[in-house]
Amino acid sequence: MANQSLFASLTAKVWPRADTANQSGAPAYAYGPEAKLAHLAATGTLADGFYSGAESQLADVLAAAQAVSPEFVAKAAVYARTFGAMKDMPALLAAYLTVADPDLAVPVFRRVIDNGRILRSFVQIMRSGQVGRSSLGTRPKRLVKEWLEQASMPRLMAAATGTSPSLADVVKMVHPAPADAERRAFYGWLIGKPYDVAALPQEIAAFEAWKREPKGELPPVPFEWLTAFPLSGEQWAVLASRMGWQALRMNLNTLARNGAFSVKGVTEAVAARLADAETIARVRPLPYQLMVALGQAGDGVPLAVQAALESALETSLALVPALEGRIVVCPDVSGSMGSPVTGYRKGASSQVRCIDVAALVAAAVLRRNSKARVIPFEQQVVALDLDPHARVAVNAARLAGIGGGGTNVSAPLALLNRERAKVDMVVIVSDNQSWVDPSRYGATATMAEWSKLKARNPGAKLICIDIQPYGTTQAQDGKGIMNVGGFTDAVFDAMARFAKGETRDWVSIVNQTEV
């Protein structure tokens, strides 16, 4: 037989040639600098992933930032925080801008440094030397000082939870000017300096009095300040009523372990809060967060509370935009997808796996479009029928329960081509580290199969959701193809906008962000 590489068909010759290799050494397409930064900003957690380490990801972020304009860095930072709910990455990009464009760093800081936790991360990053300086510097110091001086007392008290650096460390660095006697007393109390006891904020004065005799009514301070003390079930019940919605969702096992649910009325009150539709619409919890909270609820958490979590999950999906038409969702269920979605962190790795997110995306699309087709894949397509009317947690658990094998991103597309299927959109949810499928005439097998499918379905679109950012893709951005990074609600919005033709790619979505 003649050499196929030399005598490939004319169609095959126009397929874009792979220009790099992925983490598995297989052919892939490299993201351009803007696309790479957009993906890293929306998905990067600066932690060890399945294929690469935190140091490598940090180097990739800084290299991508240096390769694009400061304006795009600013938009990526704001997008990551405002729409992606990211924490460390916006702080890193804001810190980078203090060197790359100090003037632009000012509005970005004010947009993304919106709580004490991110403020402390910003200070930590600045002092690390990773962005080109090992101290705050004049303007960043002024911004941090301004944040402290303008923050309300409840916001400052919330910021006082956490270390490395602590809020006390930050105050010592920037020396905020106290606006009144109360703020002066608070700073003194915080950093261990003499202060006017009579001028202390009432909440902190009550906390200091309660510490001397931790009985009776709990002081109105952040609940984290109180958990180090031996509390009764009744006191834990009070804390349950004070926690924010997200903190309540995250601390159900703690409440159960400390006897809060044994107190009359607590189970009903917690269940009502968790299932409240208005609160869910305001808080906008991520569906995968609720799925994990439901899976982690121990035997001590009452069934009524677990049912409320499931109700919250279903309610959260009503906020997900529907994808109309002939939709095919392809969740990657290969071995690497069993890694924590936010990477490995010693003692703090997320219980959420990449496969859980892929499964939930598939289940969510199926819930909003009962005619959607789900094709799981690893080395090959996995046969699995899902019930669109089943609870989302059930379908997600069935998909997540497959797991294992190598990665062959082109497998579901090859199946659709063998069937000569008619489709409007294909959504692939993966870490993009395909290595089982060989390249075809210089192109990735995914690109080759998509080109065939596109020839039969000229209006079809392909969305590749890159759960973990390694800098490569199996399908090159172009007409009808969008690579999107992330696993937050922003991904569903991006999918819907692309399906309607409102955007052409992930970079354009970030570019539309106002700083």
Side-chain angles (χ1 to χ4, degrees):
M1 180 178 290
N3 188 314
Q4 293 187 15
S5 297
L6 292 176
F7 302 103
S9 69
L10 179 61
T11 300
K13 287 181 178 179
V14 301
W15 297 339
R17 297 183 63 87
D19 55 11
T20 190
N22 60 24
Q23 297 290 334
S24 296
Y29 301 100
Y31 291 129
E34 288 189 341
K36 186 170 185 177
L37 183 63
H39 281 255
L40 288 166
T43 62
T45 55
L46 301 176
D48 292 338
F50 187 87
Y51 292 99
S52 66
E55 294 81 5
S56 175
Q57 188 178 122
L58 174 60
D60 286 345
V61 174
L62 295 177
Q66 292 165 1
V68 303
S69 68
E71 289 77 14
F72 189 81
V73 175
K75 291 179 178 182
V78 173
Y79 182 89
R81 180 62 190 149
T82 305
F83 298 99
M86 302 297 285
K87 301 179 180 68
D88 293 344
M89 196 60 70
L92 172 61
L93 295 180
Y96 167 81
L97 285 171
T98 65
V99 176
D101 192 327
D103 291 336
L104 190 55
V106 175
V108 171
F109 178 95
R110 291 170 178 164
R111 289 288 303 277
V112 307
I113 310 300
D114 55 8
N115 64 41
R117 191 264 194 211
I118 300 180
L119 178 76
R120 291 187 288 104
S121 294
F122 173 82
V123 173
Q124 179 187 12
I125 292 168
M126 291 290 295
R127 298 181 72 205
S128 71
Q130 293 287 359
V131 297
R133 63 197 312 167
S134 56
S135 63
L136 284 178
T138 303
R139 189 174 300 191
K141 182 177 180 179
R142 176 170 56 81
L143 288 170
V144 173
K145 181 179 178 181
E146 177 186 272
W147 191 97
L148 293 170
E149 291 173 349
Q150 294 180 356
S152 65
M153 188 55 64
R155 204 175 186 190
L156 285 174
M157 290 169 62
T161 301
T163 59
S164 301
S166 66
L167 184 64
D169 296 329
V170 176
V171 169
K172 292 175 184 178
M173 291 177 208
V174 303
H175 306 291
D180 50 37
E182 180 186 67
R183 192 64 65 103
R184 183 178 296 106
F186 170 76
Y187 288 145
W189 170 84
L190 183 69
I191 65 177
K193 296 290 186 180
Y195 59 88
D196 182 0
V197 175
L200 270 181
Q202 292 182 354
E203 300 91 339
I204 296 177
F207 176 60
E208 288 297 315
W210 181 85
K211 284 199 303 183
R212 292 189 289 272
E213 188 176 359
K215 298 179 181 179
E217 183 177 354
L218 295 175
V221 295
F223 80 91
E224 294 92 344
W225 295 14
L226 304 172
T227 55
F229 298 89
L231 303 178
S232 66
E234 288 74 13
Q235 289 173 314
W236 276 100
V238 173
L239 291 186
S241 67
R242 293 183 181 178
M243 291 178 185
W245 195 93
Q246 292 281 30
L248 181 62
R249 183 260 306 171
M250 296 169 62
N251 285 278
L252 295 177
N253 288 331
T254 301
L255 294 173
R257 187 167 56 251
N258 288 281
F261 292 118
S262 64
V263 178
K264 184 178 180 180
V266 171
T267 295
E268 294 76 13
V270 169
R273 285 187 64 196
L274 290 175
D276 183 68
E278 291 185 4
T279 303
I280 294 170
R282 174 174 53 81
V283 176
R284 295 190 66 85
L286 306 181
Y288 84 88
Q289 290 177 325
L290 296 170
M291 179 183 69
V292 172
L294 185 60
Q296 291 181 335
D299 293 338
V301 178
L303 292 178
V305 174
Q306 296 185 41
L309 274 177
E310 189 164 355
S311 175
L313 173 58
E314 296 290 338
T315 300
S316 71
L317 291 173
L319 305 174
V320 174
L323 298 177
E324 304 295 341
R326 296 166 296 192
I327 308 298
V328 181
V329 186
C330 310
D332 181 351
V333 295
S334 63
S336 62
M337 294 289 285
S339 62
V341 69
T342 54
Y344 295 99
R345 292 190 179 188
K346 187 176 181 180
S349 293
S350 171
Q351 296 297 313
V352 187
R353 302 168 300 166
C354 293
I355 195 171
D356 296 320
V357 175
L360 188 60
V361 170
V365 171
L366 188 63
R367 169 52 58 88
R368 300 288 283 147
N369 183 343
S370 62
K371 295 182 180 179
R373 183 178 178 185
V374 178
I375 306 178
F377 68 92
E378 41 179 53
Q379 293 184 196
Q380 56 191 3
V381 167
V382 179
L384 180 68
D385 291 326
L386 299 179
D387 180 1
H389 304 294
R391 300 192 310 275
V392 169
V394 171
N395 278 338
R398 289 194 65 198
L399 283 165
I402 303 171
T407 307
N408 184 351
V409 173
S410 66
L413 297 176
L415 173 65
L416 293 172
N417 281 329
R418 288 195 299 272
E419 297 175 347
R420 302 191 61 80
K422 297 294 184 182
V423 299
D424 296 315
M425 177 176 288
V426 177
V427 181
I428 297 175
V429 193
S430 174
D431 60 9
N432 267 334
Q433 298 307 299
S434 192
W435 59 272
V436 174
D437 44 350
S439 60
R440 301 289 300 279
Y441 310 116
T444 63
T446 299
M447 201 68 200
E449 294 292 347
W450 174 251
S451 298
K452 295 175 185 177
L453 187 147
K454 182 76 170 175
R456 281 196 332 276
N457 300 273
K461 295 182 178 182
L462 173 65
I463 298 178
C464 297
I465 299 178
D466 189 355
I467 295 180
Q468 290 192 324
Y470 292 113
T472 64
T473 179
Q474 291 296 296
Q476 191 178 55
D477 275 332
K479 186 177 181 181
I481 300 177
M482 180 173 72
N483 286 281
V484 55
F487 47 88
T488 68
D489 283 334
V491 172
F492 291 110
D493 178 64
M495 291 165 60
R497 290 167 65 183
F498 182 67
K500 295 177 182 178
E502 296 176 6
T503 58
R504 61 180 180 83
D505 55 38
W506 189 231
V507 171
S508 67
I509 291 176
V510 173
N511 263 323
Q512 291 173 6
T513 305
E514 295 184 4
V515 176

